[in-house]
Amino acid sequence: MDLEEDLAEKTTEEIIATDFDINEIIEKGITVAARIIGEKFESMDYFLGELLIAEEIITKSLNRFISVLPASDRVETKGTVIIATVYGDIHDIGKNLLSQMLKIHGFEVHDLGRDVPSIQVVNKAMETGADIIALSSLMSTTMPSQKEVIDMLTEFGNREKIKVIIGGGSTSPEWNDTIEADGWGETVWDGIAMAKAIMGVN
Amino acid sequence: MPVPPWRITSVLRRSETGPLVTERDFDRRVLVPEIKRVVKEYDIKYDPETPVPSDDSLARDVWNAGVDLFLSVGVFCTSTSRRMIFTDDELKEALWNYHDSIELGMGQDRKTWYPRSIEDPRRPGCLFSPVGVRCSEKNFVKLVMAYMQEPLADGVSTPILENVDGGYTKTHSPFEQQGGSVHALNSRQAAIRVGRPGMAICLTGTALSAASQIASSNPVWGARPSDIRLVSVISELKIDHDLMNKALHFRQNGANIGTLTSPLFGAYAGIEGTTVLGIASHLQGLMVNQGNYTCYFPIHIRHLNNTSREMLWLVSLSYQALASNSRLISGSNGFAVAGPCTEMVMYEAGLHGMVSAVSGAAVLWEIATAMNKHFERTTPMEARMGCETGLSAVESKLKRSDVNEIVKKILPKYEDKLGNAPLGKTFEECYDLETLEPSKEYMEIYGRVKAEFRDHGIEYIY
């Protein structure tokens, strides 16, 4: 599979000119593409650069299909995820990889970037009615901000509504248990699997 | 003799005035295509059958590709979204003015590090490092003392204080600053207790932000100019103003700056591209981070190590490229998957030290264990194994081809366990906290693995 933006755009327009079924597009086109992209990332044939291009192609194509659909046929996302690298931490490669892959897999993702204050994460989650908060921390001294987000959600009375999954170089299953997060992931795949499991989707 | 900073005010200005670009475009339209271009143009290819290559032209190509990449991409400042661009002449000026050695520590504990060549018969420096492992205040001094009493250690890194005075040492909180001060104070106390009061200490890991780093500088109780102060490169080829503030403070107070450089294999590039990024990151360290030397820890994005076949190739080739084309002083920082008191971590440490030393690393900076993430899961034994094996490989006058053969024999002992490595034991389980002696069990493992290396041609001095 090649990542050719012009060809993707041309093909999208050709399909739109036919009597297309959006569910079939998602099932036989985008889902398959997401799987192949994932396999290439797993085998280290694709890296962050390719994921950025793939996500742009898929988003652009899907948005174009949706723009010509009647409102009653609009596609539902698999869930809303707020993702961020925690306060004080400027390392965001792992977070970026998960962010791109979640988008490719059909989640609505609000990527708040790196070094994000905990209250900003919580506010955004409450404002968007997010299902999941995904927090990355590479440094040992920034991990406590993952706990801080969970504590804030609890104090605001939203802990039951919003699941919190964590990852990043300094984190571990033990840390997950310590702060009572809803899941720890070592890899991008773990993150996607956790998000899908939380939402009960494939 | 200290290296002068390279036109520091000009660098500050470039972060405010360089070409404006979004970070996404920098990544997608500048960095990634340029990595692909240089790997192709310089025809750099990984060969899994030769984890320690002896091809001088390959090392030269990696250097040239790294220079090309650095000059074509520049460095992205995440605070201003601007690219800081440098010319070939500017880079040559900085490289030409680089020093021949650096000195760390004070008084009787003063040590000199110098650049080395490939298969250099002179011994590399040794830095014993528990890196960023979290540690309780209760065990901090004992753990640091255990590292500092190792005779081979020219200096030590120190762990991260997890809590202080009832609070997490959370970055940007007052507990970070309090933790940074206690960290520095306790490290100095440990140095005095082992009789090495002037020893160079990596300070201050608990203080991540520039404000807390600066607050921990104090000639009486805190970090001194003769200590090891670090400014990181944000992977890949990025910097921010907080890091630049640290560099400015360290330079203005006469401290040596070490650039922390960690290209990530599997993030922006494959193994060849990540190797080239390693060279370009060293050049960022020189020009932007204003570093006197580098702590180099390329990492596999999944296993968080640099002891696998392709990562040892990357480490070896990086050092061959640096050693044969520059005088840059760089410490090779090992990252092991397995934890303390396991045979696997002894193999990983031994190979990393040996490959680094023979390939031309100036300093053996050994070694993070258990993926550097598990509480107090580090001991000086792993650093001892890495440094002793590296120094003995040099004393044994091993060539790259000899090391390549040893690596090929040892690697199969752990290659299939990288995804499921044993986490081993904690410092408290491996050491007597009163005497600071390692356990009998650990000494036996260490002895067994050393005997295997000996069988393969490493003549340990003791």
Side-chain angles (χ1 to χ4, degrees), chain A residues 136-149:
Chain A
S136 174
S137 170
L138 183 76
M139 307 302 287
S140 303
T141 54
T142 56
M143 288 160 55
S145 287
Q146 293 178 326
K147 180 178 184 301
E148 187 172 59
V149 167

PDB file of all heavy atoms in Angstrom, chain A residues 136-149:
ATOM      1  N   SER A 136       0.389  10.475  28.844  1.00  0.00           N
ATOM      2  CA  SER A 136       1.738   9.944  28.688  1.00  0.00           C
ATOM      3  C   SER A 136       2.700  10.700  29.593  1.00  0.00           C
ATOM      4  O   SER A 136       2.583  11.906  29.773  1.00  0.00           O
ATOM      5  CB  SER A 136       2.166  10.106  27.226  1.00  0.00           C
ATOM      6  OG  SER A 136       3.512   9.737  27.072  1.00  0.00           O
ATOM      7  N   SER A 137       3.655   9.950  30.158  1.00  0.00           N
ATOM      8  CA  SER A 137       4.711  10.579  30.953  1.00  0.00           C
ATOM      9  C   SER A 137       6.000   9.805  30.750  1.00  0.00           C
ATOM     10  O   SER A 137       6.051   8.608  31.007  1.00  0.00           O
ATOM     11  CB  SER A 137       4.344  10.572  32.445  1.00  0.00           C
ATOM     12  OG  SER A 137       5.458  10.960  33.214  1.00  0.00           O
ATOM     13  N   LEU A 138       7.034  10.499  30.293  1.00  0.00           N
ATOM     14  CA  LEU A 138       8.331   9.832  30.125  1.00  0.00           C
ATOM     15  C   LEU A 138       9.179   9.965  31.375  1.00  0.00           C
ATOM     16  O   LEU A 138       9.941   9.079  31.716  1.00  0.00           O
ATOM     17  CB  LEU A 138       9.081  10.432  28.930  1.00  0.00           C
ATOM     18  CG  LEU A 138      10.420   9.756  28.629  1.00  0.00           C
ATOM     19  CD1 LEU A 138      10.198   8.421  27.932  1.00  0.00           C
ATOM     20  CD2 LEU A 138      11.306  10.632  27.774  1.00  0.00           C
ATOM     21  N   MET A 139       9.038  11.090  32.077  1.00  0.00           N
ATOM     22  CA  MET A 139       9.951  11.378  33.172  1.00  0.00           C
ATOM     23  C   MET A 139       9.372  10.935  34.517  1.00  0.00           C
ATOM     24  O   MET A 139       8.170  11.059  34.756  1.00  0.00           O
ATOM     25  CB  MET A 139      10.246  12.879  33.224  1.00  0.00           C
ATOM     26  CG  MET A 139      10.729  13.461  31.909  1.00  0.00           C
ATOM     27  SD  MET A 139      12.224  12.670  31.292  1.00  0.00           S
ATOM     28  CE  MET A 139      13.442  13.330  32.415  1.00  0.00           C
ATOM     29  N   SER A 140      10.275  10.490  35.397  1.00  0.00           N
ATOM     30  CA  SER A 140       9.838  10.019  36.717  1.00  0.00           C
ATOM     31  C   SER A 140       9.140  11.122  37.508  1.00  0.00           C
ATOM     32  O   SER A 140       8.201  10.858  38.256  1.00  0.00           O
ATOM     33  CB  SER A 140      11.044   9.531  37.522  1.00  0.00           C
ATOM     34  OG  SER A 140      11.719   8.528  36.818  1.00  0.00           O
ATOM     35  N   THR A 141       9.624  12.354  37.347  1.00  0.00           N
ATOM     36  CA  THR A 141       9.073  13.434  38.169  1.00  0.00           C
ATOM     37  C   THR A 141       7.785  14.021  37.601  1.00  0.00           C
ATOM     38  O   THR A 141       7.196  14.910  38.218  1.00  0.00           O
ATOM     39  CB  THR A 141      10.097  14.578  38.324  1.00  0.00           C
ATOM     40  OG1 THR A 141      10.503  14.988  37.023  1.00  0.00           O
ATOM     41  CG2 THR A 141      11.292  14.144  39.124  1.00  0.00           C
ATOM     42  N   THR A 142       7.373  13.564  36.422  1.00  0.00           N
ATOM     43  CA  THR A 142       6.107  14.073  35.891  1.00  0.00           C
ATOM     44  C   THR A 142       4.970  13.061  36.021  1.00  0.00           C
ATOM     45  O   THR A 142       3.805  13.402  35.815  1.00  0.00           O
ATOM     46  CB  THR A 142       6.247  14.499  34.406  1.00  0.00           C
ATOM     47  OG1 THR A 142       6.731  13.400  33.642  1.00  0.00           O
ATOM     48  CG2 THR A 142       7.207  15.658  34.263  1.00  0.00           C
ATOM     49  N   MET A 143       5.312  11.834  36.402  1.00  0.00           N
ATOM     50  CA  MET A 143       4.272  10.815  36.588  1.00  0.00           C
ATOM     51  C   MET A 143       3.182  11.231  37.587  1.00  0.00           C
ATOM     52  O   MET A 143       2.006  10.902  37.385  1.00  0.00           O
ATOM     53  CB  MET A 143       4.894   9.504  37.089  1.00  0.00           C
ATOM     54  CG  MET A 143       5.695   8.764  36.049  1.00  0.00           C
ATOM     55  SD  MET A 143       6.834   7.603  36.823  1.00  0.00           S
ATOM     56  CE  MET A 143       5.767   6.630  37.839  1.00  0.00           C
ATOM     57  N   PRO A 144       3.544  11.917  38.680  1.00  0.00           N
ATOM     58  CA  PRO A 144       2.487  12.284  39.638  1.00  0.00           C
ATOM     59  C   PRO A 144       1.349  13.094  39.018  1.00  0.00           C
ATOM     60  O   PRO A 144       0.244  13.130  39.560  1.00  0.00           O
ATOM     61  CB  PRO A 144       3.243  13.089  40.700  1.00  0.00           C
ATOM     62  CG  PRO A 144       4.626  12.550  40.658  1.00  0.00           C
ATOM     63  CD  PRO A 144       4.884  12.261  39.203  1.00  0.00           C
ATOM     64  N   SER A 145       1.595  13.737  37.879  1.00  0.00           N
ATOM     65  CA  SER A 145       0.503  14.485  37.237  1.00  0.00           C
ATOM     66  C   SER A 145      -0.566  13.546  36.686  1.00  0.00           C
ATOM     67  O   SER A 145      -1.725  13.953  36.517  1.00  0.00           O
ATOM     68  CB  SER A 145       1.044  15.384  36.120  1.00  0.00           C
ATOM     69  OG  SER A 145       1.727  16.477  36.693  1.00  0.00           O
ATOM     70  N   GLN A 146      -0.207  12.308  36.390  1.00  0.00           N
ATOM     71  CA  GLN A 146      -1.235  11.339  35.975  1.00  0.00           C
ATOM     72  C   GLN A 146      -2.185  11.090  37.145  1.00  0.00           C
ATOM     73  O   GLN A 146      -3.401  11.019  36.985  1.00  0.00           O
ATOM     74  CB  GLN A 146      -0.571  10.025  35.525  1.00  0.00           C
ATOM     75  CG  GLN A 146       0.255  10.194  34.251  1.00  0.00           C
ATOM     76  CD  GLN A 146       0.958   8.924  33.810  1.00  0.00           C
ATOM     77  OE1 GLN A 146       1.380   8.113  34.639  1.00  0.00           O
ATOM     78  NE2 GLN A 146       1.126   8.744  32.501  1.00  0.00           N
ATOM     79  N   LYS A 147      -1.602  10.976  38.321  1.00  0.00           N
ATOM     80  CA  LYS A 147      -2.429  10.794  39.525  1.00  0.00           C
ATOM     81  C   LYS A 147      -3.277  12.045  39.779  1.00  0.00           C
ATOM     82  O   LYS A 147      -4.455  11.951  40.146  1.00  0.00           O
ATOM     83  CB  LYS A 147      -1.525  10.517  40.736  1.00  0.00           C
ATOM     84  CG  LYS A 147      -2.263  10.320  42.043  1.00  0.00           C
ATOM     85  CD  LYS A 147      -1.285  10.008  43.167  1.00  0.00           C
ATOM     86  CE  LYS A 147      -2.012   9.705  44.472  1.00  0.00           C
ATOM     87  NZ  LYS A 147      -2.867  10.787  44.942  1.00  0.00           N
ATOM     88  N   GLU A 148      -2.675  13.203  39.542  1.00  0.00           N
ATOM     89  CA  GLU A 148      -3.381  14.454  39.797  1.00  0.00           C
ATOM     90  C   GLU A 148      -4.657  14.558  38.942  1.00  0.00           C
ATOM     91  O   GLU A 148      -5.708  14.999  39.429  1.00  0.00           O
ATOM     92  CB  GLU A 148      -2.460  15.639  39.490  1.00  0.00           C
ATOM     93  CG  GLU A 148      -3.037  16.983  39.875  1.00  0.00           C
ATOM     94  CD  GLU A 148      -2.014  18.098  39.721  1.00  0.00           C
ATOM     95  OE1 GLU A 148      -1.515  18.296  38.586  1.00  0.00           O
ATOM     96  OE2 GLU A 148      -1.709  18.762  40.718  1.00  0.00           O
ATOM     97  N   VAL A 149      -4.560  14.128  37.678  1.00  0.00           N
ATOM     98  CA  VAL A 149      -5.738  14.169  36.807  1.00  0.00           C
ATOM     99  C   VAL A 149      -6.839  13.268  37.377  1.00  0.00           C
ATOM    100  O   VAL A 149      -8.016  13.652  37.441  1.00  0.00           O
ATOM    101  CB  VAL A 149      -5.362  13.733  35.364  1.00  0.00           C
ATOM    102  CG1 VAL A 149      -6.611  13.470  34.529  1.00  0.00           C
ATOM    103  CG2 VAL A 149      -4.503  14.810  34.701  1.00  0.00           C
TER     104      VAL A 149
END
